[in-house]
Structures are given as C-alpha cells and as structure tokens.
C-alpha cells in the first residue's frame, strides 16, 4: 500500500477545502461582475424609450426659422438628461424634465444654411435651416385650394423652382385633446411639388420673396368646409358667454354618444333581418336607422385647434394668413365675436400677442341664401378694429358661380 487510510482522508479534506475556496471565489467574482454591469448599463428612458433625443417635426431639414425673433427649440428626451443646443455660434443648455425640453435661441438674421445641433445622451443634427419669414396659412377650402387647380396654376408651377420658399404641410388631424406633434416635414418648393400646396399661400409667399428677398416658410394648416370654432381652443370658447354653449353641447353629446351608437348597432341588426324578410316576402323595405354622428369631426369645437394648431406651438412665426368664413356665414352675427376670439386665442397661445393676422373678405359668390354673406363680410370688416389685422377685398374678382 502506498497511502494509508489516514493519508487518503487528509488528501480528500485538503481537496475539498481547495474546491470550496475556488467555488466561493468564483461566486464572489460573479456577484461583483453583476453589480458592475447593473451600475454601468444605460438607464432606460422613461416615456421616450431608448430612442434618444427627438426634435419636434418642425425642426426637420429645410426648416425656416423666424428671423429677428427668439427661436424656441423643443423636443423629447430622458428626464434629467442634460441638453445642449447649438446653432450659428450660439450654445444654450438645459435639463430635460418630464421627458421633454425647450430652449430659446437668440434671434438670427435672414440667411443660411444653418446647422442645428442638439446633444444629450445622443446627438441630433439638422442641416439646411434658414432664417426668414414664417406664416401660418389657415382656413377652409379656399386656403386649401391647390396651385394646380388655380386659374393660372400651370404657368405658376412651371416657374415654381424656388430654393428659398419652403412648405410645411400639416396633415388633417382631429383630436379632443391638444396634440404635441404632427407627422410632417419641410419641403423645398419645386415644380414637382408646388402644385399640391396652397395657391393663395404660394402667391403670398412669392410676393414676400420679391419684396423682402429673404427665405419664406409656409405652415399649411387648413381643412375645407370647416367653421372657425373648430380652430379655436376650448378655453377660448369657454371664456366667452355667447360661445360657451358650443363646448357644453359637445361635452353633452360626447357623453351620450356611446349609448346612441350601441342603440344604433342593435337597430341595424334588426334592420338587416327585416330587410332580408322583406326581400323574401316581396314586401316594402324597412326604414334604415340613422347613424349618430361621431362627436370627433372637423366641424366640432376645438377639434382642429387640438390636432392642427396646438402641435405647432410655440414655433416662431411672423404671422398668419386666413381664408375662411363660408362655413359660418349662416351665423354672421356670432362670427363677430367668434372670429376675433380665435385670432386672440392664436396670438395668446403662440406667446406673440399682436402678430400680424391677414384675412380675405368673402368672395363674390352667390349662395342660396345671399343675405348671410353680406352680413358676414360686415363682421369681417369690423374685425379690423383689432391691432395688426388686414383684410384683402376681392369682391371685384372671381367667379360668382364658383366659390373657388
């Protein structure tokens, strides 16, 4: 025998102690490694996910920034994330709160191109930005009417190659609550895309380009057939005793709508059965139930303000041009309160109390009820009492049989 039983026992004991030491050493190393990884791994963003800084869509390539005014820049980022914004030698810092940030840059003179750089956990660069004049183009179908459908549209489109005229087209969007952003981007005016943009806005911009010789940006936010109350905030409507009923009526209908829709669905099921029976028996068809209107529609108070104006705030603008009134012509007296309320609402929410607001007097069209149109033109005229408003009179042009 080489080893005794005692020697074997001692060797096994030593091996077990060595194994235990190695095992616990590995466990400690693994625990330390996990702790280090947990401490150093990227913090998951709250609300903004792990996608990093995201600028509002207005700050896309080709954006026109309002010259000679402070420039608000905003977007989303992780709460607590340090943010640095740079442009044209300026450098401004802030810290994101509630997953968002905003800074104000000093005014820029007309020109460009500029590069906007935003740094945080990630870095975003937006190139080919210009400083110039920015106007919102609001209203209904006469503002929405595209250049391609204008009387001299073909010639205008052929001459529409202007690298210093840019469009930002807000998609048609309705909402009960104010939205934060829209799915849009800036476009440089070319013959390939000019035909689809506002004709009134285009000719207005061309005049500015000729007179001022600076870049011009048009923010198109319009929808045919819509009334002014749809473009006015709930708060502004509620503040006027003669307009408050609009909001109350909408709120009441929104509460009743689910029950109305449920009843309609039941009636439709019965209607389908009765219709099949009438066909089989060759009897008179039953009366089809009338579907209740959806409370979320482009004619309801504030739905377009929430979806197509609120998301733009407080982007720097010079002012607004407006072509609307036809859908309110039947309530001309009320428009005398509503229209100024909407104008002041936009000015207040844009944080620019008296920005220029120019509008078009109703066209010389002959509607079925001609008495309402002259009355509304009179209320438009009275709106000129508001500071920095202007009215384009077009009763000497146009087609009395064609509203556009």
């Amino acid at each position: 025998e080489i080893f005794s039983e005692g020697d074997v026992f001692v060797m096994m004991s030593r091996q077990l102690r060595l194994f235990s030491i190695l095992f616990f050493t590995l466990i400690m190393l693994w625990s330390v490694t996990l702790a280090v990884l947990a401490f150093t791994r990227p913090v998951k963003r709250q609300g903004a996910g792990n996608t990093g800084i995201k600028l509002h869509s207005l700050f896309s390539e080709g954006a026109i920034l309002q010259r000679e005014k402070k420039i608000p820049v905003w977007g989303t980022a992780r709460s607590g994330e340090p943010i640095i914004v740079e442009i044209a030698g300026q450098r401004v810092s802030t810290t994101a709160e509630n997953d968002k940030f905003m800074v104000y840059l000093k005014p820029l003179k007309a020109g460009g191109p500029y590069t906007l750089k935003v740094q945080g956990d990630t870095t975003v660069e937006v190139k080919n930005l210009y400083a110039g004049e920015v106007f919102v183009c609001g209203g209904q179908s006469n503002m929405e009417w595209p250049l391609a459908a204008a009387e001299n549209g073909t010639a205008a489109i052929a001459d529409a190659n202007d690298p210093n005229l840019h469009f930002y087209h807000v998609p048609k969007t309705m909402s009960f609550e104010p939205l934060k952003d829209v799915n849009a981007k800036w476009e440089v005016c070319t013959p390939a895309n000019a035909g689809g943009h506002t004709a009134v806005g285009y000719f207005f911009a061309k005049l500015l380009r000729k007179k001022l010789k600076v870049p011009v940006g048009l923010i198109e936010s319009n929808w045919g057939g819509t009334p002014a109350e749809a473009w006015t905030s709930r708060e502004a409507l509620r503040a006027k005793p003669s307009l408050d009923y609009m909001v109350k009526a909408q709120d009441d209908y929104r509460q009743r709508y689910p029950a109305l829709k449920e009843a309609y669905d039941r009636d439709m099921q019965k209607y389908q059965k009765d219709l099949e029976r009438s066909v089989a028996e060759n009897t008179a068809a039953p009366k089809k139930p009338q579907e209740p209107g959806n409370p979320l529609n482009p004619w309801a108070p504030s739905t377009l303000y929430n979806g197509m104006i609120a998301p733009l705030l407080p982007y720097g603008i010079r002012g607004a041009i407006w072509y609307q009134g036809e859908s309110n012509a039947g309530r001309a007296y009320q428009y005398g309160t509503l229209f100024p309320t909407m104008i002041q609402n936009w000015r207040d929410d844009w944080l620019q109390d008296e920005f220029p607001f120019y509008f078009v007097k109703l066209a010389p069209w002959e509607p079925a009820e001609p008495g309402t149109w002259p009355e509304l033109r009179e209320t438009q005229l009275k709106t000129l009492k508001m500071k920095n408003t202007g009215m384009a009179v077009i009763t000497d042009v146009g087609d009395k049989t064609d509203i556009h």
Side-chain angles (χ1 to χ4, degrees):
E1 293 182 355
I2 300 177
F3 300 107
S4 66
E5 290 182 3
D7 291 332
V8 172
F9 179 79
V10 170
M11 292 176 63
M12 290 180 65
S13 298
R14 288 175 177 173
Q15 289 175 347
L16 285 172
R17 285 199 298 272
L18 180 60
F19 176 80
S20 298
I21 292 171
L22 290 172
F23 177 77
F24 284 111
T25 299
L26 289 172
I27 290 296
M28 290 297 293
L29 288 172
W30 178 247
S31 299
V32 170
T33 301
L34 289 177
V36 170
L37 289 174
F39 183 78
T40 60
R41 71 188 179 198
V43 177
K44 184 177 181 180
R45 301 177 186 279
Q46 298 179 0
N50 275 321
T51 57
I53 292 171
K54 182 180 180 182
L55 288 169
H56 189 285
S57 62
L58 277 161
F59 302 100
S60 59
E61 183 171 352
I64 304 294
L65 306 174
Q66 178 56 50
R67 64 169 176 162
E68 300 171 354
K69 287 190 176 185
K70 290 192 298 183
I71 303 170
V73 177
W74 72 95
T76 58
R78 170 180 57 84
S79 290
E81 182 176 348
I83 303 294
I84 299 174
V85 180
E86 298 177 90
I87 191 172
Q90 297 187 48
R91 181 182 174 95
V92 181
S93 61
T94 188
T95 301
E97 296 182 5
N98 299 320
D99 296 328
K100 57 187 178 182
F101 69 90
M102 177 178 286
V103 300
Y104 281 86
L105 299 169
K106 294 180 180 178
L108 295 173
K109 293 183 178 180
Y114 298 106
T115 296
L116 177 67
K117 185 177 181 180
V118 184
Q119 301 175 75
D121 292 347
T122 56
T123 298
V124 176
E125 282 193 356
V126 185
K127 299 182 178 181
N128 298 321
L129 278 65
Y130 294 81
E133 295 296 302
V134 182
F135 276 84
V136 176
C137 304
Q140 54 183 104
S141 61
N142 275 319
M143 182 61 77
E144 184 182 6
W145 198 252
L147 184 59
E151 184 174 338
N152 55 347
T154 301
I157 290 172
D159 189 41
N161 190 14
D162 188 346
N164 285 308
L165 171 54
H166 298 190
F167 300 102
Y168 179 90
H169 184 79
V170 179
K172 293 180 177 179
T173 308
M174 304 170 290
S175 177
F176 287 131
E177 301 297 332
L179 302 182
K180 300 298 183 183
D181 204 346
V182 296
N183 183 21
K185 63 181 181 180
W186 287 92
E187 287 185 315
V188 177
C189 179
T190 68
N193 63 30
H197 293 286
T198 166
V200 171
Y202 173 80
F203 290 115
F204 175 76
K206 292 296 286 185
L207 180 62
L208 293 181
R209 291 277 298 118
K210 181 180 179 181
K211 297 289 186 179
L212 303 177
K213 295 179 173 54
V214 299
V216 173
L218 299 181
I219 299 176
E220 301 172 272
S221 186
N222 41 67
W223 192 327
T226 55
E229 61 265 28
W231 299 98
T232 309
S233 73
R234 284 175 58 89
E235 292 75 16
L237 294 172
R238 291 296 300 268
K240 297 292 182 179
S242 63
L243 305 176
D244 182 39
Y245 81 93
M246 296 180 178
V247 178
K248 291 180 179 178
Q250 182 193 42
D251 290 346
D252 175 68
Y253 185 67
R254 284 182 62 186
Q255 291 180 350
R256 294 187 294 112
Y257 177 72
L260 294 173
K261 184 64 167 63
E262 185 178 349
Y264 167 76
D265 292 339
R266 290 195 305 268
D267 292 343
M268 276 300 296
Q269 292 179 357
K270 182 177 182 302
Y271 166 77
Q272 292 294 343
K273 293 179 180 179
D274 292 345
L275 181 62
E276 293 173 2
R277 185 182 303 110
S278 69
V279 172
E281 298 176 357
N282 195 26
T283 57
K287 184 178 180 180
K288 187 176 182 179
Q290 183 175 356
E291 183 175 4
N294 192 322
L296 183 60
N297 62 73
W299 308 281
S302 308
T303 53
L304 302 186
Y305 173 90
N306 291 334
M308 300 176 68
I309 297 298
L312 309 176
L313 305 171
Y315 192 76
I317 63 172
R318 176 64 70 191
I321 59 173
W322 177 261
Y323 198 157
Q324 190 273 342
E326 297 88 344
S327 291
N328 289 95
R331 294 175 282 136
Y333 180 78
Q334 181 191 73
Y335 199 72
T337 300
L338 176 59
F339 189 33
T341 297
M342 190 206 78
I343 294 173
Q344 193 59 51
N345 175 202
W346 285 25
R347 287 173 167 176
D348 291 344
D349 290 357
W350 241 293
L351 306 179
Q352 298 185 46
D353 185 49
E354 294 180 343
F355 70 65
F357 195 102
Y358 307 131
F359 54 93
V360 181
K361 194 173 186 179
L362 285 187
W365 182 61
E366 293 186 356
E369 300 179 12
T372 61
W373 283 55
E375 292 170 1
L376 193 124
R377 292 189 185 102
E378 183 181 22
T379 62
Q380 290 178 314
L381 179 64
K382 292 179 179 179
T383 304
L384 291 175
K385 294 178 181 178
M386 297 186 72
K387 190 174 181 179
N388 288 342
T389 56
M391 181 174 70
V393 180
I394 61 168
T395 50
D396 57 336
V397 297
D399 186 341
K400 69 178 182 179
T401 63
D402 187 348
I403 186 57
H404 299 118

